[in-house]
Amino acid sequence: PKGCVETRAGSRAMSLDAVPVALADRVYGALARVRVACNAPLRPSARAPERAPPMLSDKVRIACACAEMEYEDFIAREGVARALGEHLCEPLIIRGGAAMWGARGWTLEGMVREFGEWRCATRVNASSTRAGRQFTYVESAHADVVRGVFDAPSTTEVIPFAAAVARVLRWHGNGGYVQSDASEEMSAMCRGGVSEVFASVPGWRESQNQRLWLALSGSVSTMHFDASISTLTQVSKGSKRMLLYPPDALRLVGLWPNSHPLRRRGKVDLASDDLERDFPEFAESAMAFEAIIHSGDVLIFPPRWAHYTESLGDDVSMSITQRFRQGSGTSSTACVQWLKYRHSPMALSRLVSSGLVRNDVGMKLLRDAVTGEIEQDVDGWGDPANAAFRQAAIDCADEIMRLIPQSDTADDNIIGIYVRGSIAHGRAVAGVSDVDLIVLAKRPFDEDAVREALRQYWLPKWNKVITKADVRYEYVDCEVTTLKGDDLLTALSNCDVFVLATQSVTLSGLDLPNILPSRARIPKERVLQTLSSDVEEALLFGSQRAYAWCLKRLIRAAYEKFALPYTAYTRDLYFCVELAIEYANVDVRSDLATALLAIVQGPDSVWGALWPAYGAAMCRRLEIKINGAARRSCA
């Protein structure tokens, strides 16, 4: 009959719609315990809403998955507790971080049997919002709620756990979402694994006890942020999906005033068909970090990260949260201090003002507004201040000529040796700059042997001035000395003629910088075409050096994608970041600035023992932003 609720205890239905809620809680709570005593499963009512979250707007964009580490790798790394205290700068998933918890064995039936009389806080909707799937926290003690001035979308009721389960399963009422401090017995089953690391993090102090969260699959917790460090552990039942937004996105989500009963909550509705109309800036620029956690996984995220949560699974989703405040007791390096401002509009300039990155080494080359050509810029090569660097480059070229086998005839193997970069421009800095050479040859030779000989015999003579020799070898399988114009460009099609034409000085052999046609000075993409494979290769290798190399490629690719068609030419990493930020149509400021810092100072200086997870996530996130639009949430 209409208004009846199928209890599935038998073929008969019971109608308690007209019965007081407190009595209904007692009846359905008792029914839950009876079913458990009879070894019958607890299942959602036939009137329960669809057990899938609401479809999100196609304007919700996801930048990438959150950084993650396997628990075995996490715990094996020295200094992980300190890294959590100092370097937790974005969400982090520890896969299997709670695999040893006793709570992994929890079932809904077992919990009703064990904790059925335990009184727990349960959030109850005032009306059937979003088909009973959407739950918005309200501060029940707020004066406007107490006086009845504010029509609260939900209330908190403290009821026996068995009755709360009946609410969650929609046996009666508008649904429920258990959000309650765990009992001592429950907390005793939530120990070990990564929770032991939490207890040893310098400066962390618990600000909220472990809490049990139990919801029907398909339920959602609307957009809000936490004021402290949060951890969420998925226990035995279901999964959780969270979309997390960096602190700078808080201005976009329509936060309620701090004096409002819904403070820390956002007005933005990710499932709204009118998201773009109501929150145009959010729809245009906000990009989420996506976390999907399963049984035994732990998600950790910093304060002030706005998040939207979906409960997934066949029937219910069960998790444990715990919060911490960062107190005293941790050291603070310049890198760690900067991470606090990485989402600021001044993030890049702060790198310079704090002395972490230099912006006075590289240069930007102006382009002809009509032809797009870059003027040759090697005027500083003969500068007296460049004398030591110039001699180091000449000496390096002489050593290479001695090491590379030459023909006994006039047909020598070496076509030419060219110096490029800061030394060619006369802007080299002692202890910072490399000798950057291009060696053009006809036949391959043992590059590793030459590289090792330079390290052993040439570098010790110049290591007070030069950090290393960076030599690139290119091969041309035809005679080029008599070629000109298009024929010369065709013969050198596999070489970097742009760098030779604009930024190089001849040290030996054919004077290509002065005979290449002017169209060789038009810059072209050099990194974008192989970016995806470069990222995969670096992540497969997995070392700090590989990550730093990959981040360099990503920064230059970002410049090529967003800025190269419109502005000056540069290879300097700082200027690449500056120009890419200026011209990008997606938010890359924080990621590019952090990538630059990781290159200069090292991934472990920026992310501590968490560098494998954060470095990999950074590489993947930037690759997604550069190579195309971030995928939509409904894809």
Side-chain angles (χ1 to χ4, degrees), residues 228-285:
S228 52
I229 299 164
S230 298
T231 71
L232 186 148
T233 302
Q234 194 67 17
V235 288
S236 62
K237 299 287 289 183
S239 303
K240 281 283 194 303
R241 179 193 189 222
M242 294 182 70
L243 301 183
L244 302 106
Y245 295 85
D248 61 333
L250 289 177
R251 63 185 177 84
L252 308 177
V253 302
L255 287 177
W256 291 97
N258 205 41
S259 59
H260 196 275
L262 295 178
R263 70 184 186 93
R264 294 193 294 107
R265 267 73 199 162
K267 301 171 188 174
V268 65
D269 181 357
L270 300 189
S272 171
D273 294 334
D274 298 321
L275 178 63
E276 188 173 25
R277 183 198 68 188
D278 297 339
F279 295 90
E281 193 174 356
F282 178 90
E284 179 183 359
S285 61

Side-chain angles (χ1 to χ4, degrees), residues 588-603:
V588 292
R589 179 192 297 109
S590 173
D591 285 338
L592 288 180
T594 306
L596 179 62
L597 180 62
I599 293 166
V600 175
Q601 299 294 333

Side-chain angles (χ1 to χ4, degrees), residues 496-507:
D496 195 343
V497 294
F498 174 76
V499 170
L500 287 170
T502 60
Q503 305 160 61
S504 301
V505 172
T506 303
L507 298 178

Side-chain angles (χ1 to χ4, degrees), residues 1 4-7 10-15:
C4 292
V5 179
E6 174 60 66
T7 67
S11 60
R12 298 177 61 189
M14 298 178 61
S15 178

